Amino acid sequence: MMYSEIISFENGRLVHELFANEIKNVRILEERFGVKVTTRDGWVRIDGAPENVQKTKRVFDQLQDALDQGLEIAKKDIHSAMEFVEKENGVALSDFQRAKLETSSKKPPVVPRTLNQKRYIQAIKEYEIVFGLGPAGTGKTFLAVAAALAAFRAEEIKKIILTRPAVEAGEALGFLPGELEDKIFPYLRPLYDALEEMLDAEELKKMVDKGVIELAPLAFMRGRTLSGSFIILDEAQNTTTEQMLMFLTRLGQRSRCVVTGDPTQVDLPKHRNSGLFEAISALKSVSGIYFCEFGEKDVVRHKLVKDIVEAYRIHRASGKNNL
């Protein structure tokens, strides 16, 4: 039995925003639920089996609520809303907007886009040490930087320290022209890129000049006690076991630490063990430490990134590595 339902909105612009400003995204709903969606001006009509029409309507309800909360709807949000409706797990898209991180008064807030991202943000607020593990494009580092800036704005910490392992900083970089800072900066550029997205240029310069934000290679952490700080160790899969232990024991009073890494992309020499693997094994049962694992579904970069991650996973699982 076919069934129809019409949903009315204030105007056609609002409907356009619900579809991430791409009316062709209507096809996403039609293919997922087997319905026909027609839109004109300020209304949407859904035709199909009663159960599927109601599911589609609940997706529109989720998108509308999220939009009312201030979320700028993206294609990924449409997929998320459909998933929440199908799973009936009590999660709504508007919940993500309420978990937003205010990084600057001059830039829009950072909003989690997947359930794991939301859990990650919550864990960072609740635990002193959090490990964010998973493939590229899942927001591990970006959200950690956002959480650090939000904590600074809330006056919960006084300093933000962003670090990455750069083995070459000790030797190989000596052959490159320029001062030490010039040689090190390319390794820290991805962290700086995240800061540039969340802060006004003037804000960023001021915080770096005052030492509120510090970017440094992991080797520079040795011998320090980091108190009242939010410390982020990025690309942790490329730490040695000695470096990881050294880093984790730098934590001082009133500090938080986030360690991010992709266990599938270790660049260490074959004879060196990853400090990330040892930390995962040794610390799983330690109270006060949280491990958040991301998967392909959490990739929020270009759709091809998600497809590439999945293709490599399947390829490597098959054991076929022939050229």
Side-chain angles (χ1 to χ4, degrees), residues 123-124 126-131 248 251 255-259 283 288-291:
I124 291 173
E126 294 180 6
Y127 291 81
E128 291 181 298
I129 298 179
V130 173
F131 282 76
L248 292 174
L251 196 67
S255 286
R256 294 188 225 166
C257 172
V258 178
V259 178
L283 304 176
I289 298 179
Y290 184 90
F291 290 83

Side-chain angles (χ1 to χ4, degrees), residues 48-106:
E51 181 181 354
N52 293 340
V53 169
Q54 289 306 311
K55 284 183 178 180
T56 308
K57 183 178 182 298
R58 289 202 296 275
V59 171
F60 276 106
D61 290 341
Q62 289 223 8
L63 294 172
Q64 174 73 74
D65 288 345
L67 196 63
D68 291 343
Q69 290 282 337
L71 180 67
E72 183 177 336
I73 304 297
K75 189 175 181 179
K76 177 73 176 179
D77 300 315
I78 299 173
H79 283 285
S80 295
M82 292 189 298
E83 183 180 345
F84 299 151
V85 165
E86 286 199 313
K87 288 185 176 179
E88 296 183 341
N89 55 8
V91 179
L93 201 58
S94 56
D95 296 338
F96 290 61
Q97 183 66 13
R98 283 188 280 271
K100 65 185 177 184
L101 295 167
E102 300 283 356
T103 61
S104 166
S105 60
K106 301 178 181 179

Side-chain angles (χ1 to χ4, degrees), residues 239-265:
T239 62
T240 64
T241 53
E242 295 85 359
Q243 286 176 326
M244 179 61 82
L245 180 59
M246 177 274 292
F247 172 77
L248 292 174
T249 53
R250 298 306 92 203
L251 196 67
Q253 296 296 320
R254 305 176 310 286
S255 286
R256 294 188 225 166
C257 172
V258 178
V259 178
T260 69
D262 181 355
T264 69
Q265 293 193 25

Side-chain angles (χ1 to χ4, degrees), residues 119-239:
R119 288 169 178 159
Y120 183 51
I121 288 174
Q122 190 59 40
I124 291 173
K125 293 177 180 178
E126 294 180 6
Y127 291 81
E128 291 181 298
I129 298 179
V130 173
F131 282 76
L133 311 171
T138 51
K140 305 181 302 293
T141 303
F142 190 80
L143 291 173
V145 173
L149 290 171
F152 177 77
R153 288 198 74 200
E155 299 183 350
E156 296 169 4
I157 48 102
K158 296 181 179 179
K159 188 179 181 70
I160 298 170
I161 300 172
L162 310 175
T163 184
R164 272 184 157 199
V167 177
E168 295 88 345
E171 296 178 1
L173 288 180
F175 295 100
L176 296 177
E179 299 298 323
L180 181 60
E181 183 177 343
D182 300 323
K183 300 172 184 179
I184 288 169
F185 187 75
Y187 292 91
L188 303 173
R189 180 77 234 189
L191 294 169
Y192 203 86
D193 288 343
L195 289 167
E196 286 185 324
E197 281 198 51
M198 300 177 211
L199 292 175
D200 176 81
E202 188 177 332
E203 283 181 301
L204 176 55
K205 185 178 186 305
K206 185 182 294 184
M207 291 177 77
V208 172
D209 289 346
K210 288 186 174 181
V212 172
I213 295 177
E214 177 185 342
L215 294 94
L218 181 58
F220 288 20
M221 296 297 106
R222 189 173 297 278
R224 300 176 64 180
T225 299
L226 307 173
S227 301
S229 303
F230 195 120
I231 313 118
I232 299 171
L233 170 59
D234 193 33
E235 296 289 335
Q237 73 274 7
N238 292 327
T239 62

